Amino acid sequence: AMSKSAVKISSDLLSNPLCEQEPSFLEMVTAFDTAMKRMDSFNQEKVSVGHARGFSSVFPSLNMAVKRREQTLQDYKRLQSKVEKYEEKERTGPVLAKLHQ
């Protein structure tokens, strides 16, 4: 999105009337526009390659972190359902002890 915005800005600058009046400004803006379009093209290529190969091959620790997070989330949901079950029961000594645990 950032490179798309930069391309839009450079295109807007090219349509500025000052470009018609100042050849040096036109030259700078044209160079800027070319650079922004090349950057956008490069970024789009990298994003499509990243999605094609998957980020796990590029960032293996990311894949591990996602797996750990999913496991922790499942554990949390399991324990949360236990807590809700004990909260619904009558508040006796053993139930309070398990709820505290």
Side-chain angles (χ1 to χ4, degrees), residues 21-91:
Q21 299 167 1
E22 287 290 329
S24 61
F25 184 66
L26 175 62
E27 185 180 328
M28 285 189 302
V29 171
T30 303
F32 177 67
D33 185 57
T34 302
M36 292 303 104
K37 286 179 180 173
R38 289 179 66 198
M39 179 185 69
D40 183 52
S41 155
F42 177 78
N43 287 342
Q44 293 304 317
E45 179 183 314
K46 289 299 175 192
V47 166
S48 63
V49 166
H51 286 298
R53 283 192 302 176
F55 288 108
S56 61
S57 63
V58 179
F59 303 107
S61 62
L62 179 65
N63 195 29
M64 294 286 290
V66 169
K67 285 181 181 179
R68 278 195 317 267
R69 183 194 179 280
E70 288 299 319
Q71 182 62 45
T72 304
L73 184 60
Q74 287 176 5
D75 292 346
Y76 172 79
K77 286 180 179 180
R78 181 178 50 81
L79 293 172
Q80 183 64 32
S81 68
K82 275 187 173 183
V83 166
E84 289 170 0
K85 182 180 80 171
Y86 286 124
E87 285 177 341
E88 290 173 0
K89 290 186 175 188
E90 186 179 332
R91 295 198 172 261

Side-chain angles (χ1 to χ4, degrees), residues 1-10 40:
M2 183 185 75
S3 61
K4 292 278 185 208
S5 296
V7 169
K8 172 79 170 104
I9 290 169
S10 65
D40 183 52

